[in-house]
Amino acid sequence: MAIRNILTVPDPLLNKKCREVEVFDERLWTLLDDLKDTVKAANGAGLAAPQVAVLKRVCVIDTEDGFFELINPVLKSSSGEQTGLEGCLSVPKRYGNVTRPMKITVLAKDRFGEEVKFKVKGFTARAFLHEMDHLDGVIYTQKATNFVEEK
Ligand code: NI
């Protein structure tokens, strides 16, 4: 387990579409363990593989609702709406308001390749969608309004 370096904008790797995971091996598990160490060390709500320069559809979420590992996640359904401040470990000292669904259902694979389904809401749903956007090379700043800069 190790803490990896987090890329920041405008690193071009952050705008790449990531590839699906096909092999659920120890290399993947090391990536997941390192993402966990790195997001906890950085005190973030989530971290996606492209943020540590790995262009695979892998991300982790760390909120009050728990710690989640998502591999090849797909949004199956969503409802409601929420608007709130969002930040990103790849965009230091900046926050912006983003409108997202309030409740979502996501299908993904776990680290062993088994299908898993998550039904989450509120801030955790926001974190899921923020990290899933990273897998398509989308940074929240492309969706945000009313930016706040941290002094
Ligand atoms: Ni982010």
Side-chain angles (χ1 to χ4, degrees):
M1 310 235 296
I3 293 171
R4 300 202 190 185
N5 183 46
I6 300 176
L7 303 178
T8 53
V9 289
D11 193 300
L13 286 183
L14 292 169
N15 300 114
K16 303 277 189 200
K17 192 172 165 70
C18 297
R19 292 180 303 274
E20 293 230 326
V21 171
E22 288 168 2
V23 182
F24 295 79
D25 60 359
E26 282 187 23
R27 195 178 161 90
L28 172 69
W29 302 341
T30 300
L31 171 64
L32 286 161
D33 292 342
D34 288 356
L35 286 171
K36 183 175 189 176
D37 285 351
T38 306
V39 76
K40 290 201 176 282
N43 225 343
L47 189 63
Q51 293 180 276
V52 297
V54 177
L55 296 179
K56 289 182 180 171
R57 301 188 79 79
V58 175
C59 58
V60 298
I61 321 293
D62 191 13
T63 69
E64 282 186 342
D65 293 326
F67 187 85
F68 304 88
E69 294 180 347
L70 304 184
I71 299 155
N72 303 340
V74 176
L75 179 64
K76 292 311 284 185
S77 65
S78 65
S79 63
E81 194 179 283
Q82 57 172 323
T83 299
L85 270 188
E86 212 161 294
C88 179
L89 294 173
S90 294
V91 189
K93 296 179 189 287
R94 206 168 179 214
Y95 301 88
N97 270 304
V98 184
T99 299
R100 297 195 186 268
M102 180 57 86
K103 288 184 180 178
I104 57 171
T105 301
V106 170
L107 281 183
K109 294 288 176 71
D110 70 11
R111 62 166 59 205
F112 305 105
E114 299 294 321
E115 191 160 279
V116 281
K117 184 158 122 180
F118 298 101
K119 285 174 175 274
V120 293
K121 61 185 179 181
F123 182 76
T124 300
R126 171 181 298 286
F128 267 58
L129 293 166
H130 175 116
E131 298 311 327
M132 287 163 65
D133 276 350
H134 274 296
L135 308 182
D136 290 319
V138 174
I139 306 291
Y140 85 93
T141 49
Q142 293 166 242
K143 299 183 167 181
T145 55
N146 304 101
F147 286 100
V148 181
E149 311 283 338
E150 198 176 86
K151 299 271 163 18

